[in-house]
Every structure is written in structure tokens, then in C-alpha cells.
Amino acid sequence: MRGASLAEMNQEWTVERHLLGKPPEVVALYHRFIELAQACGPFTYAVSRSPRRVDDPRITRSSPYTKRLWVHHFRVDSPSHLDQQFAGWLGEAYLVGAGAHLDPPQISW
């Protein structure tokens, strides 16, 4: 039996399939995360980079992606972790995904 290609594995993966059999509290955390993402604006499921490093116990790993962007891996274990501060980080990542980090800095005179 041959192994599935990366493209085949990606085509077969769905959020519903990933959440299948997970405890209700894990599914609830996922849905709360999606609510926070939807509050930022329209989106598609994709990895986004942050323009700064975030230090917080919820962040399990941070690494530079480029000179200006950071990748953050996070772990959320309770609804309280999805607070306004987390929503702010998500909003920053959303803006980066929309290309806001590519705009030249505004100079105030």
C-alpha cells in the first residue's frame, strides 16, 4: 500500500474530522476561537504570522519567520484563555494576513 501524498492528506482533512471524538470542552474551545476570528473580519483557514514576539504562558513556542514576522504556537486549555488579550493577538495576526505589515510606517509631523 502506498503512502498518501501531502496533497491527498490535505484534501481529506476537515475541521469536523479533526474534532470528531474530541471532548465537548475541546470542541467548545475551538468554536470560541472561531468566534474571536470572525470578529476580526472575513477569513479563510490558514497560518498567519505575527509582527512581534508574544511572551505568555499560552504561547508554547515563538520563532522568527522573517526579520519582521513571528510564528506563535499556542495552547488553549480553558475558555478563560480566550480572553480579550488573546482576541487582540488574533486581531494583529488577522491584519498581518491582510497585508497590513506591508504598508509603509505612517510618519506624523
Side-chain angles (χ1 to χ4, degrees):
M1 179 180 196
R2 73 177 181 87
S5 71
L6 183 58
E8 290 169 331
M9 288 187 290
N10 285 339
Q11 288 175 351
E12 295 172 6
W13 182 87
T14 65
V15 171
E16 292 77 18
R17 185 173 149 215
H18 181 73
L19 293 174
L20 190 64
K22 298 288 191 284
E25 58 273 11
V26 170
V27 175
L29 287 173
Y30 168 78
H31 288 296
R32 177 64 182 137
F33 175 82
I34 293 301
E35 287 174 11
L36 292 175
Q38 288 172 333
C40 296
F43 70 95
T44 57
Y45 294 90
V47 176
S48 293
R49 277 45 172 185
S50 170
R52 65 184 178 94
R53 182 173 183 198
V54 174
D55 288 312
D56 187 271
R58 292 169 282 197
I59 305 299
T60 60
R61 185 174 64 207
S62 293
S63 57
Y65 181 68
T66 67
K67 289 192 308 188
R68 296 176 55 197
L69 301 178
W70 288 80
V71 177
H72 295 86
H73 301 263
F74 59 89
R75 180 177 178 101
V76 174
D77 293 321
S78 79
S80 66
H81 290 168
L82 296 174
D83 58 12
Q84 286 305 112
Q85 183 179 32
F86 188 91
W89 298 333
L90 193 58
E92 286 180 40
Y94 182 86
L95 291 173
V96 169
H101 67 292
L102 301 174
D103 293 335
Q106 300 298 317
I107 300 173
S108 61
W109 298 96

